[in-house]
Every structure is written in structure tokens, then in C-alpha cells.
Amino acid sequence: MSEMANKPASTVRQLVDFGALLAFMAAYAVNRFVRGLEGDQALVQATWVLVGASAIALLVGWIVERRLAPLPLLAGGFALIFGTLTLVFNDPVLLKLKLTIQNGLLAAVLLGSLPFGKYPFKYLLESAFRLTEEGWRGLTLRYGLYFGAVAVVNEVIWRTQSDDVWVAFRGGLWIASAAFGVWQVFFIMKHLIKDEDVPPTAPDPGL
């Protein structure tokens, strides 16, 4: 029942996280297409909004859940660190690298844990639901490959495409992450040790 009680709080946090991304994209659009700034400078200006919105998202997450969930904390922390560096050095490349480094780190940790049979998701999520060993291994592999793919695709896009395309990619990535999370629920249900009274929620790959 505690999982049921936490579900509204988790939903609020996810909506706030999405709101932070929307605020960033809106700020970029205003600076790029209304104020007429070049893409790199529009990104720097929008980063002010991203840093503020990320701080608010972390604060709301703490208020509604009384804790900072690991993945949202990682994503918010990276946004604050790389956003601040972007503003200090006036270089939007640092913001673009944030996605590569964050997702590459997650992929390395998850995939690197597989040979040792130590699955980070098991320690993070076992209080919410219990899976077979095959389930934890499969979930770890899937998310490790997903995060690795995001890192690679981000590198290709920011190095070869315009700032406008990269910002659009950031928005599409949130949708892809949500769809990927929903897809994992079916895998979780297949490997669930069924002694819970509520359906599981896949870990949010919030980027």
C-alpha cells in the first residue's frame, strides 16, 4: 500500500521534470525566434531557465516524496552542474555534453555490473517490487543499452546538426524515455515475483 501512496507524489515529480524541459525549450524558442539570437546564444540564455527549473524540480521532488530519487537526482544534478558551467564559460557545448556524459556514465555502471551479477536496479527498486534474477539482469541490460544508445545518438546529433535540431531532439527524447519506460512494465510483469498488491512502475530514465 505504501507504493500506492507514493504514486501521486511520483506523478507530480515527473510532471515537474517535464515542466522543466518544456520551460527550457520555450525559453530557447523565444530567444531564437522572437529575439532573433543565434542558436548558440539562445541556448546559453535558455540555460538560465534550465538551471532554475532543475533546482525547482529537485526541491519539489524532495517536498512531495521526502527524498530525492536516485535517477532524478542524477539528472537534476547534472543539469545544475553543466548548466552552471555553460553560463560561466558562455559555451553551450558543455550543455550538449551533459547528455552524453550522464547517459554514458549510467550505461557504463549498468552494463559493467552485469558480469559481477550485481544489479544496481535491484538495490534501488527492490523495496518497490521483486523480480527474479533473470528479471533484474534483463532490466539492467535493457536500460544499460538504452542509456548507451542515447549517449551515442546525442553525440551524433549535436556534432552534425543545428542547435534547433538538437533542442527538438531533447524534447523528443523525453517522449522516447516515457515510451521506453512503459515498454519495460511488460518485461517487469513477466518476471515479477507476485506478492504485491499494485502493479509496478518502470524506473524513470528521466534525462
Side-chain angles (χ1 to χ4, degrees), residues 83-103:
T84 300
L85 290 174
T86 297
L87 296 174
V88 169
F89 294 102
N90 195 42
D91 186 356
V93 169
L94 295 169
L95 185 65
K96 297 173 182 178
L97 283 174
K98 175 255 185 189
L99 268 185
T100 300
I101 295 173
Q102 173 188 317
N103 286 279

Side-chain angles (χ1 to χ4, degrees), residues 128-132 135 185-196 198-200:
F129 53 84
R130 294 193 301 129
L131 299 181
T132 63
V185 172
F186 298 101
F187 179 81
I188 291 172
M189 293 295 293
K190 180 180 178 180
H191 296 279
L192 191 66
I193 299 175
K194 299 179 180 179
D195 58 356
E196 289 79 21
V198 293

Side-chain angles (χ1 to χ4, degrees), residues 84-166:
T84 300
L85 290 174
T86 297
L87 296 174
V88 169
F89 294 102
N90 195 42
D91 186 356
V93 169
L94 295 169
L95 185 65
K96 297 173 182 178
L97 283 174
K98 175 255 185 189
L99 268 185
T100 300
I101 295 173
Q102 173 188 317
N103 286 279
L105 177 62
L106 286 169
V109 169
L110 293 177
L111 296 178
S113 72
L114 292 174
F116 303 99
K118 303 293 185 181
Y119 313 125
F121 279 151
K122 182 176 181 179
Y123 300 103
L124 294 174
L125 301 172
E126 196 167 28
S127 61
F129 53 84
R130 294 193 301 129
L131 299 181
T132 63
E133 283 297 301
E134 181 184 356
W136 288 121
R137 181 177 179 82
L139 194 65
T140 300
L141 176 62
R142 286 168 171 235
Y143 270 93
L145 293 175
Y146 172 79
F147 289 131
V150 170
V152 171
V153 172
N154 181 66
E155 278 295 292
V156 172
I157 289 180
W158 84 259
R159 290 180 184 276
T160 63
Q161 304 299 314
S162 68
D163 293 318
D164 297 346
V165 172
W166 183 79

